[in-house]
Amino acid sequence: MKKRLLACACALVTAALPGLAGCGVLPGDEDSGSRTVTVWLMKGSVSDDFLTRFTTAYEKEHPGVELDVTFQEWTGIGKKVTAALKSDDAPDVIEVGNTQVTQYAETGLLYDLTLESVRDLGYTEWLPGLAAPGKVDGAQYGIPWYAANRVVIYHKDLFARAGITRPPATREQWLRDTAKLDDGPGGTQGIYLAGQDWYTLAGFVWDEGGELAVERDGKWRGALDSPAALRGMAVYQELQALGDGPEDADEENPPQAQVFAGGDVAQIIAPPSVASAVVERNPALKDKLGFFPIPGKTAGEPCAVFTGGSDLIIPRKSDDRAAAMDVVAALAGEKWQKDLARTMNYVPNKPSLADAVGGQEATAAMAAGAARGRATPNSPQWADVEAANPIKPYMTAVLRGESPESAAKTASARITALLRTDR
């Protein structure tokens, strides 16, 4: 989609995320001597209004530069981006998932943006959950763009009925409050937490000082069997018991929004966007939902959370690296970070910019958690771990009474095998 009205019409017909779908520049469309910067963004990442504001302002501030933006679908994006990186007609800027940067960097077809990021973009302030996955072997290939993470969504009426007047500030208080909210089988659930919500487990593992996997001497191994990781699983087990979540399914089976919409669940752990799905199913809950960061072990320091979101990369075959970097710097800079956060309810790429969403309860809660955000292990093979996902059966085994130590050793061994580069 381009700034021109032509692009808006085309986007309605060819809206596709990562791929070559979208509107291109028509023959004779460019002014003589102008430069076109091609940008791939993911479908749903920005609104048409935001894109219009950005392209209009950017092109006004950069005479002779035209932005050609196409939206891509997430489905199949990996193959499309990899093919684009190899082609002689690569886009100049590509939005990718923050945990995808490593696999693209491994191709050797990305620009190392270390100097640019260090010089202009305040890299020391970036959210770790976005910055760390974009850095491979000391080189910064992905520039953090925006973040999203899980928070606690709670039913205000159920909290009030239980005499809880404010969200808990610490994990200990949270567990006590959740126990108070739980009426047992057939009554109010203190929390609905599916047994295989492994992203939430990861946060507890990190909060205890553990890891899902660790790298030593260039080799990765699973680490769920460490004492710290086992403590994280114990927290999950205690919390999950304060509701009726299934032990052998994740948060999408059934969708936790559907369960929460029933009205007898006090809390779920989810991105704030899930609240819209809840209200859609039960409009009576529209003004009864609240949000707070997942509590950590001490007041004022939320639990570590998995940070989802996007980074921006520049292919080595970009026709104009300098122009591409100018676009990235604008998108990742303070002005447009604040605009994007307010428009899309995202977390900006720096905690210092979180005041942009200070008046939005859900996004502010998300931003507080994002300050302690983490990403999955920065191995190109981690996608194989997620595909096979030995973490899920490990969690079910523990919740059903199997020895945590034994189940964790089995899961860690499987993770180690999947992360081997010589398979």
Side-chain angles (χ1 to χ4, degrees), residues 2 38 58 75-76 86 112-113 135 155 157 195 217 226 268 278 287 296 357 369 375 392 400 415:
K2 295 181 63 177
T38 58
Y58 188 88
T75 302
K86 295 177 181 177
D112 176 358
L113 304 174
K135 193 171 187 177
H155 191 317
D157 285 1
D217 300 324
S226 72
I268 57 173
V278 172
D287 297 318
V357 295
K392 289 185 174 183
R400 288 181 170 173
I415 291 172

Side-chain angles (χ1 to χ4, degrees), residues 23-318:
C23 299
V25 181
L26 296 178
D29 199 32
E30 298 179 76
D31 297 329
S32 177
S34 68
R35 298 149 63 201
T36 298
V37 179
T38 58
V39 182
W40 281 9
L41 299 182
M42 302 306 294
K43 186 177 181 180
S45 286
V46 302
S47 66
D48 288 349
D49 286 347
F50 173 86
L51 186 56
T52 298
R53 285 197 304 276
F54 176 75
T55 54
T56 299
Y58 188 88
E59 291 177 359
K60 183 177 180 180
E61 294 167 4
H62 297 79
V65 176
E66 185 175 279
L67 300 183
D68 178 11
V69 183
T70 60
F71 285 118
Q72 312 295 331
E73 296 287 346
W74 281 107
T75 302
I77 186 58
K79 291 182 179 179
K80 288 182 179 180
V81 170
T82 300
L85 295 178
K86 295 177 181 177
S87 77
D88 292 327
D89 189 30
D92 298 298
V93 178
I94 305 176
E95 173 195 353
V96 299
N98 59 322
T99 60
Q100 296 175 332
V101 177
T102 302
Q103 69 185 78
Y104 301 135
E106 192 179 38
T107 66
L109 296 172
L110 298 186
Y111 270 124
D112 176 358
L113 304 174
T114 304
L115 292 180
E116 288 88 345
S117 64
V118 169
R119 182 187 66 209
D120 296 326
L121 299 179
Y123 78 105
T124 58
E125 299 179 56
W126 284 338
L127 292 173
L130 293 180
K135 193 171 187 177
V136 181
D137 296 331
Q140 194 76 41
Y141 294 100
I143 303 301
W145 192 25
Y146 66 81
N149 50 266
R150 287 159 175 76
V151 300
V152 180
I153 306 175
Y154 72 99
H155 191 317
K156 293 179 179 179
D157 285 1
L158 297 182
F159 267 56
R161 193 173 73 187
I164 302 171
T165 59
R166 67 184 66 182
T170 66
R171 180 199 294 169
E172 182 180 2
Q173 182 63 54
W174 186 34
L175 289 167
R176 286 201 303 267
D177 286 351
T178 303
K180 187 185 299 185
L181 288 158
D182 187 47
D183 291 340
T188 298
Q189 296 185 56
I191 190 168
Y192 179 84
L193 182 59
Q196 295 183 346
D197 185 352
W198 71 276
Y199 281 121
T200 294
L201 170 65
F204 295 145
V205 168
W206 292 326
D207 214 43
E208 290 293 334
E211 300 288 347
L212 304 180
V214 295
E215 183 183 21
R216 294 194 185 98
D217 300 324
K219 294 182 179 180
W220 286 90
R221 61 172 295 275
L224 288 173
D225 54 340
S226 72
L230 288 167
R231 290 195 300 271
M233 183 64 221
V235 173
Y236 191 97
Q237 186 174 16
E238 182 177 0
L239 188 63
Q240 200 270 342
L242 298 174
D244 298 328
E247 296 170 340
D248 59 352
D250 62 23
E251 63 274 24
E252 295 301 323
N253 296 286
Q256 60 180 344
Q258 174 183 310
V259 178
F260 196 37
D264 61 355
V265 172
Q267 307 169 88
I268 57 173
I269 299 172
S273 58
V274 171
S276 297
V278 172
V279 173
E280 183 178 345
R281 289 173 168 85
N282 185 354
L285 293 177
K286 181 179 180 181
D287 297 318
K288 298 181 178 181
L289 302 182
F291 308 83
F292 59 86
I294 300 172
K297 298 168 72 173
T298 60
E301 187 173 69
C303 183
V305 290
F306 168 75
T307 301
S310 289
D311 281 17
L312 299 170
I313 61 174
I314 299 178
R316 290 187 67 86
K317 292 190 176 183
S318 164

